[in-house]
Each structure stands twice: as C-alpha cells, then as structure tokens.
Amino acid sequence: MSLGSIFDIAGSAMSAQSVRLNTTASNMANADSAAGSAEEAYRARYPVFSSVQAQALRGDFQASGMTSMGDAESSVRIDGIVESARPVEGRHEPGHPLADENGQVFYPNVDVVEEMSNMISSSRSFQMNVDVMNAARSMMQRVLSMGQ
C-alpha cells in the first residue's frame, strides 16, 4: 500500500462519516414529529457501510479482473441508507389535530440517546481520519525534506 492510498482511504471514511452525521441529524430533527397513522410516521434511518478491502480479502477481486491483492482498492463504501424496523410509538392524544378516529397519534421510532451516541461516535471517527491524513502529510513532508 502506498502512502498516497492512505489519503484515499481516509477521505472515503470521512465521506462515510459525513453521511452518518447527516442521517443522525435528520433523525434528531424528526424525533418529535407527529403523524396521523403508523405508515406516515417518520422512521429512523441509518447508513450501511462496507469495506472494499474486506471484499478483496474474500476473493471478490478475482471476479473483477484483478490479478493480485495489490490491485484492490481500499476504501469505505456507502451501500445505502436503511430505515429502522422498530415499531413507531402510538400515543393516545384525542385532542391532537393529527389524531385518528381512536385518538391515536404516531411518533417516530427515533431514540434520541442512541442518536446522540451515534453523533459522538461519527464525529470522533471523522476527527481520527483527519488526524490520519495530517500524519500522512507530515510523513510525506519529512521524506521530501530528507533530500535537502
């Protein structure tokens, strides 16, 4: 692995953590939004990531025409964003303007404490990748200054 590929790996990880931060922010922004039915209620969303290098280790690189592990790209891939399967919360609030005929109002399945821990974790991961990029840049500068 070359020193230059470290920037690609850290950059793709920073991109992935940005998506994670955005979905977490969206979940928190919609945590208290009410709906008139369970189908209309907001559902928490979570990004799904995979490591391209892990796929190469399993042998998928042969199917793509790569001849050796050195040809495999290393990065973090965003496979998509999925909705949580947890049920939404129904509350009996007959005076609410969105209440159905039974007086039920439905609220998202967002756990604010879980979302806060996701936000802290993703911001720390982002910062760690910034530190990796800075360390790699510093190493490259030291190598260049050796020739002087």
Side-chain angles (χ1 to χ4, degrees):
M1 176 186 299
S2 70
L3 194 57
S5 65
I6 291 174
F7 292 107
D8 295 335
I9 296 167
S12 67
M14 289 169 63
S15 244
Q17 293 306 322
S18 292
V19 168
R20 185 176 174 200
L21 276 170
N22 286 335
T23 56
T24 298
S26 177
N27 289 343
M28 290 180 72
N30 288 292
D32 291 326
S33 59
S37 70
E39 294 79 28
E40 295 173 355
Y42 180 85
R43 289 185 171 32
R45 292 171 172 85
Y46 301 101
V48 178
F49 305 126
S50 65
S51 168
V52 174
Q53 186 68 31
Q55 291 174 343
L57 290 173
R58 286 195 312 263
D60 292 347
F61 67 96
Q62 291 172 347
S64 65
M66 294 181 203
T67 57
S68 70
M69 282 299 293
D71 294 338
E73 289 183 25
S74 298
S75 66
V76 177
R77 183 176 63 203
I78 303 164
D79 289 334
I81 297 176
V82 297
E83 287 187 348
S84 173
R86 287 182 297 194
V88 295
E89 179 185 353
R91 298 181 195 160
H92 186 71
E93 297 177 5
H96 196 284
L98 293 175
D100 63 8
E101 62 277 352
N102 298 325
Q104 289 288 104
V105 179
F106 297 90
Y107 289 91
N109 57 358
V110 175
D111 181 358
V112 178
V113 174
E114 179 183 342
E115 297 302 326
M116 283 301 295
S117 65
N118 279 339
M119 185 173 286
I120 291 167
S121 174
S122 60
S123 65
R124 285 185 179 165
S125 294
F126 187 92
Q127 184 59 47
M128 290 304 289
N129 283 294
V130 168
D131 292 344
V132 165
M133 291 183 98
N134 285 336
R137 183 190 59 158
S138 175
M139 284 189 268
M140 290 179 105
Q141 287 175 336
R142 285 185 192 148
V143 167
L144 291 174
S145 68
M146 284 181 171
Q148 295 179 354

